[in-house]
Amino acid sequence: MGKRGNEYSTRQYMNRSDYELFYYKSTKLRNVSLHHHDFFEVYFFVKGEVSYQIEGRNYQLIPGDIVLVNHKELHQAMIEGADHYYERYVLWVSRPYLKRLSTPQTDLTRCFLDKRKKTLLRTSIDNQQLVRSILDKLIAVEGYKGTGQDLLPDLYITELMVALNRISFDVEEKLQPVVKKNQLIDAVIHYLNENLDGEINMDELSRHFFISKYHLSREFKKHTGTTLYRYVVQKRLILAKGLILQGNPITAVYEQCGFGDYSNFFRAFKNEYGTTPKEFLQVMQEGQKKAAELEAGL
């Protein structure tokens, strides 16, 4: 699904089980708050003044940059100059869909999930033109009713993901992106991600990193755009959703994610996603069932 020059939407969920593609030209656009998706995102930057923040690291973008975001990473585009022209492609693609397109020899999800993955691809003009041409083909095929209408979308997505994986792992890039990060905050985020299932509080972090909790709180907000408490809650909820989809009992998941009790977990989940954990599971199961039926031709 893709449309040229979409009207910008703040929707952060997919209406389809495979992919959605948006091409935006915007002025007077506000920043979107720090968030995550239950799917992968490919962001192709065309023009504007934008930095992209992912897990506390800030990437200053130049035209042609490609950002790859997986389903567990908190991220946001930071628009510098709200009245400036801003152009980009945004592709959302589901993990099950990419798994279905993959083969034993070629895992198309690798560029999102591999430990050595690159978040920002700053590549050659030829590679930029290749990626953009495939995105344009995906847009053009929307609404196409001719021969191959059922094959071309999968073909183009496969072509795109092969290109992105090749650029990520097989291409020796000479252009290195500028990444702004703070060593302290980088270490704090790593610590938080490794200890989401345990108790985390400012006093403990202050002692662990030999810094006052007031300075830590101020520095964390400065470099991530959110509070430490809010970051921990969001990451714990991401972990919880993964555990729920793996078949863990909903009433037991909260303990594995560091929530004090089920009521706190339930309330945080409902506040963050506008749905209950049970409703979330039902929606995801229905989506998987529909995807399986479509694949089987039912």
mmCIF file of all heavy atoms in Angstrom, residues 235-277:
data_model
loop_
_atom_site.group_PDB
_atom_site.id
_atom_site.type_symbol
_atom_site.label_atom_id
_atom_site.label_comp_id
_atom_site.label_asym_id
_atom_site.label_seq_id
_atom_site.Cartn_x
_atom_site.Cartn_y
_atom_site.Cartn_z
ATOM 1 N N LYS A 235 9.768 0.681 27.749
ATOM 2 C CA LYS A 235 10.570 -0.496 27.426
ATOM 3 C C LYS A 235 10.013 -1.751 28.104
ATOM 4 O O LYS A 235 10.047 -2.844 27.529
ATOM 5 C CB LYS A 235 12.022 -0.276 27.853
ATOM 6 C CG LYS A 235 12.728 0.820 27.088
ATOM 7 C CD LYS A 235 12.888 0.490 25.610
ATOM 8 C CE LYS A 235 13.926 -0.563 25.352
ATOM 9 N NZ LYS A 235 14.261 -0.707 23.915
ATOM 10 N N ARG A 236 9.492 -1.613 29.306
ATOM 11 C CA ARG A 236 8.887 -2.762 29.978
ATOM 12 C C ARG A 236 7.630 -3.223 29.248
ATOM 13 O O ARG A 236 7.361 -4.424 29.140
ATOM 14 C CB ARG A 236 8.569 -2.401 31.431
ATOM 15 C CG ARG A 236 9.789 -2.453 32.342
ATOM 16 C CD ARG A 236 9.488 -2.005 33.756
ATOM 17 N NE ARG A 236 10.587 -2.367 34.651
ATOM 18 C CZ ARG A 236 10.743 -1.887 35.873
ATOM 19 N NH1 ARG A 236 9.852 -1.013 36.362
ATOM 20 N NH2 ARG A 236 11.762 -2.266 36.617
ATOM 21 N N LEU A 237 6.884 -2.277 28.717
ATOM 22 C CA LEU A 237 5.669 -2.636 27.971
ATOM 23 C C LEU A 237 6.020 -3.305 26.650
ATOM 24 O O LEU A 237 5.310 -4.219 26.199
ATOM 25 C CB LEU A 237 4.814 -1.386 27.742
ATOM 26 C CG LEU A 237 4.141 -0.819 28.987
ATOM 27 C CD1 LEU A 237 3.454 0.499 28.667
ATOM 28 C CD2 LEU A 237 3.129 -1.823 29.558
ATOM 29 N N ILE A 238 7.098 -2.867 26.012
ATOM 30 C CA ILE A 238 7.558 -3.530 24.787
ATOM 31 C C ILE A 238 7.919 -4.978 25.096
ATOM 32 O O ILE A 238 7.550 -5.900 24.359
ATOM 33 C CB ILE A 238 8.765 -2.783 24.188
ATOM 34 C CG1 ILE A 238 8.349 -1.395 23.673
ATOM 35 C CG2 ILE A 238 9.391 -3.597 23.054
ATOM 36 C CD1 ILE A 238 9.520 -0.525 23.256
ATOM 37 N N LEU A 239 8.648 -5.174 26.196
ATOM 38 C CA LEU A 239 9.011 -6.519 26.623
ATOM 39 C C LEU A 239 7.763 -7.340 26.919
ATOM 40 O O LEU A 239 7.671 -8.519 26.528
ATOM 41 C CB LEU A 239 9.901 -6.439 27.870
ATOM 42 C CG LEU A 239 10.299 -7.754 28.542
ATOM 43 C CD1 LEU A 239 11.098 -8.626 27.582
ATOM 44 C CD2 LEU A 239 11.106 -7.480 29.815
ATOM 45 N N ALA A 240 6.785 -6.737 27.573
ATOM 46 C CA ALA A 240 5.548 -7.444 27.930
ATOM 47 C C ALA A 240 4.798 -7.908 26.687
ATOM 48 O O ALA A 240 4.309 -9.048 26.634
ATOM 49 C CB ALA A 240 4.651 -6.529 28.773
ATOM 50 N N LYS A 241 4.710 -7.057 25.677
ATOM 51 C CA LYS A 241 3.999 -7.442 24.458
ATOM 52 C C LYS A 241 4.671 -8.639 23.791
ATOM 53 O O LYS A 241 3.993 -9.540 23.281
ATOM 54 C CB LYS A 241 3.914 -6.259 23.492
ATOM 55 C CG LYS A 241 2.960 -5.175 23.954
ATOM 56 C CD LYS A 241 2.540 -4.244 22.850
ATOM 57 C CE LYS A 241 3.659 -3.423 22.316
ATOM 58 N NZ LYS A 241 3.190 -2.430 21.314
ATOM 59 N N GLY A 242 5.990 -8.642 23.785
ATOM 60 C CA GLY A 242 6.707 -9.762 23.205
ATOM 61 C C GLY A 242 6.440 -11.062 23.948
ATOM 62 O O GLY A 242 6.226 -12.115 23.343
ATOM 63 N N LEU A 243 6.413 -10.979 25.277
ATOM 64 C CA LEU A 243 6.155 -12.166 26.090
ATOM 65 C C LEU A 243 4.726 -12.675 25.906
ATOM 66 O O LEU A 243 4.484 -13.889 25.862
ATOM 67 C CB LEU A 243 6.410 -11.843 27.569
ATOM 68 C CG LEU A 243 7.867 -11.594 27.948
ATOM 69 C CD1 LEU A 243 7.966 -11.063 29.372
ATOM 70 C CD2 LEU A 243 8.710 -12.869 27.797
ATOM 71 N N ILE A 244 3.791 -11.746 25.780
ATOM 72 C CA ILE A 244 2.392 -12.134 25.561
ATOM 73 C C ILE A 244 2.252 -12.874 24.235
ATOM 74 O O ILE A 244 1.586 -13.912 24.145
ATOM 75 C CB ILE A 244 1.473 -10.892 25.589
ATOM 76 C CG1 ILE A 244 1.383 -10.331 27.009
ATOM 77 C CG2 ILE A 244 0.080 -11.230 25.059
ATOM 78 C CD1 ILE A 244 0.684 -8.987 27.094
ATOM 79 N N LEU A 245 2.907 -12.349 23.196
ATOM 80 C CA LEU A 245 2.818 -12.974 21.873
ATOM 81 C C LEU A 245 3.539 -14.318 21.825
ATOM 82 O O LEU A 245 3.277 -15.138 20.947
ATOM 83 C CB LEU A 245 3.380 -12.028 20.809
ATOM 84 C CG LEU A 245 2.581 -10.744 20.581
ATOM 85 C CD1 LEU A 245 3.267 -9.855 19.557
ATOM 86 C CD2 LEU A 245 1.164 -11.076 20.125
ATOM 87 N N GLN A 246 4.444 -14.545 22.783
ATOM 88 C CA GLN A 246 5.130 -15.837 22.861
ATOM 89 C C GLN A 246 4.301 -16.887 23.592
ATOM 90 O O GLN A 246 4.715 -18.039 23.710
ATOM 91 C CB GLN A 246 6.478 -15.671 23.571
ATOM 92 C CG GLN A 246 7.512 -14.886 22.761
ATOM 93 C CD GLN A 246 8.747 -14.551 23.572
ATOM 94 O OE1 GLN A 246 8.983 -15.113 24.643
ATOM 95 N NE2 GLN A 246 9.550 -13.623 23.073
ATOM 96 N N GLY A 247 3.134 -16.477 24.088
ATOM 97 C CA GLY A 247 2.244 -17.425 24.734
ATOM 98 C C GLY A 247 2.286 -17.427 26.246
ATOM 99 O O GLY A 247 1.647 -18.274 26.887
ATOM 100 N N ASN A 248 3.020 -16.491 26.846
ATOM 101 C CA ASN A 248 3.067 -16.415 28.306
ATOM 102 C C ASN A 248 1.726 -15.916 28.852
ATOM 103 O O ASN A 248 1.106 -15.025 28.255
ATOM 104 C CB ASN A 248 4.175 -15.452 28.749
ATOM 105 C CG ASN A 248 5.559 -16.000 28.454
ATOM 106 O OD1 ASN A 248 6.113 -16.767 29.222
ATOM 107 N ND2 ASN A 248 6.118 -15.603 27.312
ATOM 108 N N PRO A 249 1.254 -16.454 29.975
ATOM 109 C CA PRO A 249 -0.014 -16.000 30.562
ATOM 110 C C PRO A 249 0.039 -14.501 30.882
ATOM 111 O O PRO A 249 1.007 -14.027 31.482
ATOM 112 C CB PRO A 249 -0.132 -16.827 31.849
ATOM 113 C CG PRO A 249 0.734 -18.018 31.618
ATOM 114 C CD PRO A 249 1.865 -17.544 30.758
ATOM 115 N N ILE A 250 -0.987 -13.795 30.483
ATOM 116 C CA ILE A 250 -1.018 -12.344 30.674
ATOM 117 C C ILE A 250 -0.907 -11.978 32.149
ATOM 118 O O ILE A 250 -0.233 -11.010 32.521
ATOM 119 C CB ILE A 250 -2.304 -11.756 30.060
ATOM 120 C CG1 ILE A 250 -2.276 -11.901 28.533
ATOM 121 C CG2 ILE A 250 -2.472 -10.290 30.461
ATOM 122 C CD1 ILE A 250 -3.532 -11.429 27.840
ATOM 123 N N THR A 251 -1.536 -12.760 33.000
ATOM 124 C CA THR A 251 -1.532 -12.437 34.429
ATOM 125 C C THR A 251 -0.180 -12.688 35.091
ATOM 126 O O THR A 251 0.033 -12.307 36.242
ATOM 127 C CB THR A 251 -2.600 -13.269 35.162
ATOM 128 O OG1 THR A 251 -2.428 -14.660 34.840
ATOM 129 C CG2 THR A 251 -3.997 -12.835 34.733
ATOM 130 N N ALA A 252 0.746 -13.340 34.366
ATOM 131 C CA ALA A 252 2.071 -13.599 34.930
ATOM 132 C C ALA A 252 3.153 -12.732 34.293
ATOM 133 O O ALA A 252 4.259 -12.614 34.840
ATOM 134 C CB ALA A 252 2.431 -15.073 34.759
ATOM 135 N N VAL A 253 2.831 -12.122 33.172
ATOM 136 C CA VAL A 253 3.822 -11.356 32.410
ATOM 137 C C VAL A 253 4.375 -10.180 33.214
ATOM 138 O O VAL A 253 5.560 -9.849 33.121
ATOM 139 C CB VAL A 253 3.213 -10.873 31.077
ATOM 140 C CG1 VAL A 253 3.999 -9.694 30.492
ATOM 141 C CG2 VAL A 253 3.167 -12.006 30.068
ATOM 142 N N TYR A 254 3.507 -9.549 33.999
ATOM 143 C CA TYR A 254 3.920 -8.342 34.709
ATOM 144 C C TYR A 254 5.144 -8.590 35.597
ATOM 145 O O TYR A 254 6.004 -7.716 35.750
ATOM 146 C CB TYR A 254 2.764 -7.766 35.535
ATOM 147 C CG TYR A 254 2.484 -8.494 36.819
ATOM 148 C CD1 TYR A 254 3.098 -8.112 38.017
ATOM 149 C CD2 TYR A 254 1.587 -9.553 36.848
ATOM 150 C CE1 TYR A 254 2.833 -8.771 39.203
ATOM 151 C CE2 TYR A 254 1.317 -10.223 38.027
ATOM 152 C CZ TYR A 254 1.939 -9.831 39.197
ATOM 153 O OH TYR A 254 1.676 -10.487 40.378
ATOM 154 N N GLU A 255 5.253 -9.771 36.175
ATOM 155 C CA GLU A 255 6.385 -10.094 37.050
ATOM 156 C C GLU A 255 7.691 -10.175 36.262
ATOM 157 O O GLU A 255 8.753 -9.803 36.763
ATOM 158 C CB GLU A 255 6.130 -11.429 37.756
ATOM 159 C CG GLU A 255 4.977 -11.389 38.738
ATOM 160 C CD GLU A 255 4.788 -12.722 39.432
ATOM 161 O OE1 GLU A 255 4.329 -13.667 38.763
ATOM 162 O OE2 GLU A 255 5.114 -12.811 40.634
ATOM 163 N N GLN A 256 7.618 -10.656 35.029
ATOM 164 C CA GLN A 256 8.799 -10.792 34.180
ATOM 165 C C GLN A 256 9.255 -9.453 33.605
ATOM 166 O O GLN A 256 10.347 -9.369 33.048
ATOM 167 C CB GLN A 256 8.508 -11.771 33.034
ATOM 168 C CG GLN A 256 8.160 -13.180 33.481
ATOM 169 C CD GLN A 256 7.638 -14.032 32.350
ATOM 170 O OE1 GLN A 256 6.443 -14.111 32.097
ATOM 171 N NE2 GLN A 256 8.538 -14.668 31.628
ATOM 172 N N CYS A 257 8.422 -8.440 33.764
ATOM 173 C CA CYS A 257 8.724 -7.122 33.181
ATOM 174 C C CYS A 257 8.996 -6.059 34.235
ATOM 175 O O CYS A 257 9.106 -4.870 33.900
ATOM 176 C CB CYS A 257 7.567 -6.669 32.295
ATOM 177 S SG CYS A 257 7.218 -7.804 30.960
ATOM 178 N N GLY A 258 9.058 -6.446 35.488
ATOM 179 C CA GLY A 258 9.434 -5.496 36.517
ATOM 180 C C GLY A 258 8.320 -4.651 37.086
ATOM 181 O O GLY A 258 8.580 -3.728 37.870
ATOM 182 N N PHE A 259 7.054 -4.954 36.727
ATOM 183 C CA PHE A 259 5.947 -4.198 37.308
ATOM 184 C C PHE A 259 5.642 -4.759 38.702
ATOM 185 O O PHE A 259 5.699 -5.974 38.924
ATOM 186 C CB PHE A 259 4.705 -4.289 36.423
ATOM 187 C CG PHE A 259 4.793 -3.471 35.171
ATOM 188 C CD1 PHE A 259 5.205 -4.046 33.983
ATOM 189 C CD2 PHE A 259 4.490 -2.117 35.182
ATOM 190 C CE1 PHE A 259 5.296 -3.303 32.816
ATOM 191 C CE2 PHE A 259 4.582 -1.359 34.025
ATOM 192 C CZ PHE A 259 4.989 -1.955 32.839
ATOM 193 N N GLY A 260 5.309 -3.885 39.613
ATOM 194 C CA GLY A 260 5.100 -4.301 40.992
ATOM 195 C C GLY A 260 3.932 -5.226 41.183
ATOM 196 O O GLY A 260 3.983 -6.166 41.974
ATOM 197 N N ASP A 261 2.835 -4.985 40.448
ATOM 198 C CA ASP A 261 1.671 -5.852 40.538
ATOM 199 C C ASP A 261 0.891 -5.763 39.235
ATOM 200 O O ASP A 261 1.173 -4.928 38.383
ATOM 201 C CB ASP A 261 0.780 -5.478 41.733
ATOM 202 C CG ASP A 261 0.383 -4.010 41.713
ATOM 203 O OD1 ASP A 261 -0.198 -3.561 40.708
ATOM 204 O OD2 ASP A 261 0.672 -3.311 42.697
ATOM 205 N N TYR A 262 -0.097 -6.621 39.093
ATOM 206 C CA TYR A 262 -0.841 -6.698 37.833
ATOM 207 C C TYR A 262 -1.627 -5.419 37.551
ATOM 208 O O TYR A 262 -1.731 -4.988 36.403
ATOM 209 C CB TYR A 262 -1.800 -7.896 37.839
ATOM 210 C CG TYR A 262 -2.557 -8.018 36.539
ATOM 211 C CD1 TYR A 262 -1.936 -8.507 35.389
ATOM 212 C CD2 TYR A 262 -3.890 -7.627 36.458
ATOM 213 C CE1 TYR A 262 -2.615 -8.594 34.190
ATOM 214 C CE2 TYR A 262 -4.592 -7.725 35.262
ATOM 215 C CZ TYR A 262 -3.946 -8.207 34.129
ATOM 216 O OH TYR A 262 -4.632 -8.291 32.952
ATOM 217 N N SER A 263 -2.177 -4.816 38.588
ATOM 218 C CA SER A 263 -2.992 -3.614 38.369
ATOM 219 C C SER A 263 -2.153 -2.475 37.794
ATOM 220 O O SER A 263 -2.620 -1.737 36.908
ATOM 221 C CB SER A 263 -3.662 -3.182 39.677
ATOM 222 O OG SER A 263 -2.685 -2.850 40.653
ATOM 223 N N ASN A 264 -0.904 -2.319 38.279
ATOM 224 C CA ASN A 264 -0.024 -1.293 37.719
ATOM 225 C C ASN A 264 0.302 -1.592 36.252
ATOM 226 O O ASN A 264 0.333 -0.697 35.414
ATOM 227 C CB ASN A 264 1.276 -1.216 38.521
ATOM 228 C CG ASN A 264 1.095 -0.521 39.855
ATOM 229 O OD1 ASN A 264 0.203 0.298 40.024
ATOM 230 N ND2 ASN A 264 1.945 -0.861 40.819
ATOM 231 N N PHE A 265 0.570 -2.865 35.967
ATOM 232 C CA PHE A 265 0.856 -3.280 34.601
ATOM 233 C C PHE A 265 -0.345 -3.027 33.695
ATOM 234 O O PHE A 265 -0.212 -2.463 32.603
ATOM 235 C CB PHE A 265 1.223 -4.767 34.572
ATOM 236 C CG PHE A 265 1.180 -5.387 33.214
ATOM 237 C CD1 PHE A 265 2.026 -4.939 32.200
ATOM 238 C CD2 PHE A 265 0.292 -6.419 32.937
ATOM 239 C CE1 PHE A 265 1.986 -5.518 30.937
ATOM 240 C CE2 PHE A 265 0.245 -6.988 31.687
ATOM 241 C CZ PHE A 265 1.091 -6.538 30.680
ATOM 242 N N PHE A 266 -1.520 -3.435 34.135
ATOM 243 C CA PHE A 266 -2.750 -3.268 33.355
ATOM 244 C C PHE A 266 -2.993 -1.793 33.048
ATOM 245 O O PHE A 266 -3.287 -1.410 31.905
ATOM 246 C CB PHE A 266 -3.935 -3.858 34.116
ATOM 247 C CG PHE A 266 -5.244 -3.782 33.369
ATOM 248 C CD1 PHE A 266 -5.664 -4.838 32.580
ATOM 249 C CD2 PHE A 266 -6.046 -2.660 33.473
ATOM 250 C CE1 PHE A 266 -6.873 -4.773 31.898
ATOM 251 C CE2 PHE A 266 -7.259 -2.581 32.789
ATOM 252 C CZ PHE A 266 -7.673 -3.642 32.002
ATOM 253 N N ARG A 267 -2.857 -0.954 34.069
ATOM 254 C CA ARG A 267 -3.100 0.481 33.906
ATOM 255 C C ARG A 267 -2.090 1.114 32.947
ATOM 256 O O ARG A 267 -2.448 1.908 32.081
ATOM 257 C CB ARG A 267 -3.056 1.164 35.270
ATOM 258 C CG ARG A 267 -3.390 2.653 35.220
ATOM 259 C CD ARG A 267 -3.671 3.207 36.606
ATOM 260 N NE ARG A 267 -2.589 2.920 37.546
ATOM 261 C CZ ARG A 267 -2.675 2.031 38.538
ATOM 262 N NH1 ARG A 267 -3.776 1.329 38.715
ATOM 263 N NH2 ARG A 267 -1.647 1.837 39.363
ATOM 264 N N ALA A 268 -0.815 0.746 33.096
ATOM 265 C CA ALA A 268 0.225 1.294 32.216
ATOM 266 C C ALA A 268 -0.002 0.864 30.771
ATOM 267 O O ALA A 268 0.164 1.666 29.837
ATOM 268 C CB ALA A 268 1.605 0.842 32.693
ATOM 269 N N PHE A 269 -0.374 -0.398 30.575
ATOM 270 C CA PHE A 269 -0.627 -0.923 29.232
ATOM 271 C C PHE A 269 -1.796 -0.186 28.578
ATOM 272 O O PHE A 269 -1.711 0.248 27.422
ATOM 273 C CB PHE A 269 -0.932 -2.423 29.315
ATOM 274 C CG PHE A 269 -0.777 -3.160 28.015
ATOM 275 C CD1 PHE A 269 0.347 -3.939 27.783
ATOM 276 C CD2 PHE A 269 -1.759 -3.100 27.039
ATOM 277 C CE1 PHE A 269 0.498 -4.637 26.582
ATOM 278 C CE2 PHE A 269 -1.620 -3.789 25.838
ATOM 279 C CZ PHE A 269 -0.488 -4.558 25.601
ATOM 280 N N LYS A 270 -2.884 -0.028 29.318
ATOM 281 C CA LYS A 270 -4.085 0.650 28.785
ATOM 282 C C LYS A 270 -3.788 2.118 28.491
ATOM 283 O O LYS A 270 -4.218 2.652 27.460
ATOM 284 C CB LYS A 270 -5.218 0.523 29.796
ATOM 285 C CG LYS A 270 -6.553 1.102 29.333
ATOM 286 C CD LYS A 270 -7.163 0.275 28.234
ATOM 287 C CE LYS A 270 -8.505 0.844 27.766
ATOM 288 N NZ LYS A 270 -9.551 0.724 28.793
ATOM 289 N N ASN A 271 -3.046 2.792 29.358
ATOM 290 C CA ASN A 271 -2.714 4.196 29.144
ATOM 291 C C ASN A 271 -1.818 4.388 27.919
ATOM 292 O O ASN A 271 -1.961 5.369 27.176
ATOM 293 C CB ASN A 271 -2.023 4.779 30.381
ATOM 294 C CG ASN A 271 -2.960 4.959 31.546
ATOM 295 O OD1 ASN A 271 -4.181 5.011 31.376
ATOM 296 N ND2 ASN A 271 -2.420 5.048 32.753
ATOM 297 N N GLU A 272 -0.882 3.450 27.709
ATOM 298 C CA GLU A 272 0.083 3.579 26.621
ATOM 299 C C GLU A 272 -0.529 3.249 25.266
ATOM 300 O O GLU A 272 -0.280 3.941 24.275
ATOM 301 C CB GLU A 272 1.286 2.660 26.869
ATOM 302 C CG GLU A 272 2.403 2.798 25.844
ATOM 303 C CD GLU A 272 3.136 4.113 25.952
ATOM 304 O OE1 GLU A 272 3.117 4.744 27.034
ATOM 305 O OE2 GLU A 272 3.731 4.536 24.942
ATOM 306 N N TYR A 273 -1.334 2.181 25.207
ATOM 307 C CA TYR A 273 -1.796 1.680 23.910
ATOM 308 C C TYR A 273 -3.292 1.846 23.674
ATOM 309 O O TYR A 273 -3.784 1.558 22.575
ATOM 310 C CB TYR A 273 -1.417 0.207 23.756
ATOM 311 C CG TYR A 273 0.060 -0.047 23.941
ATOM 312 C CD1 TYR A 273 0.531 -0.908 24.936
ATOM 313 C CD2 TYR A 273 1.000 0.576 23.121
ATOM 314 C CE1 TYR A 273 1.885 -1.136 25.105
ATOM 315 C CE2 TYR A 273 2.358 0.349 23.293
ATOM 316 C CZ TYR A 273 2.793 -0.505 24.279
ATOM 317 O OH TYR A 273 4.142 -0.724 24.446
ATOM 318 N N GLY A 274 -4.026 2.285 24.701
ATOM 319 C CA GLY A 274 -5.459 2.484 24.518
ATOM 320 C C GLY A 274 -6.237 1.184 24.429
ATOM 321 O O GLY A 274 -7.384 1.167 23.972
ATOM 322 N N THR A 275 -5.632 0.095 24.851
ATOM 323 C CA THR A 275 -6.274 -1.213 24.809
ATOM 324 C C THR A 275 -5.744 -2.048 25.965
ATOM 325 O O THR A 275 -4.685 -1.748 26.527
ATOM 326 C CB THR A 275 -5.977 -1.919 23.471
ATOM 327 O OG1 THR A 275 -6.720 -3.125 23.385
ATOM 328 C CG2 THR A 275 -4.488 -2.228 23.328
ATOM 329 N N THR A 276 -6.452 -3.072 26.342
ATOM 330 C CA THR A 276 -5.997 -3.932 27.430
ATOM 331 C C THR A 276 -5.047 -4.993 26.872
ATOM 332 O O THR A 276 -5.044 -5.266 25.665
ATOM 333 C CB THR A 276 -7.187 -4.637 28.111
ATOM 334 O OG1 THR A 276 -7.762 -5.583 27.197
ATOM 335 C CG2 THR A 276 -8.247 -3.627 28.532
ATOM 336 N N PRO A 277 -4.252 -5.631 27.728
ATOM 337 C CA PRO A 277 -3.383 -6.717 27.245
ATOM 338 C C PRO A 277 -4.162 -7.829 26.538
ATOM 339 O O PRO A 277 -3.715 -8.349 25.512
ATOM 340 C CB PRO A 277 -2.719 -7.221 28.530
ATOM 341 C CG PRO A 277 -2.725 -6.044 29.445
ATOM 342 C CD PRO A 277 -4.002 -5.325 29.157
#
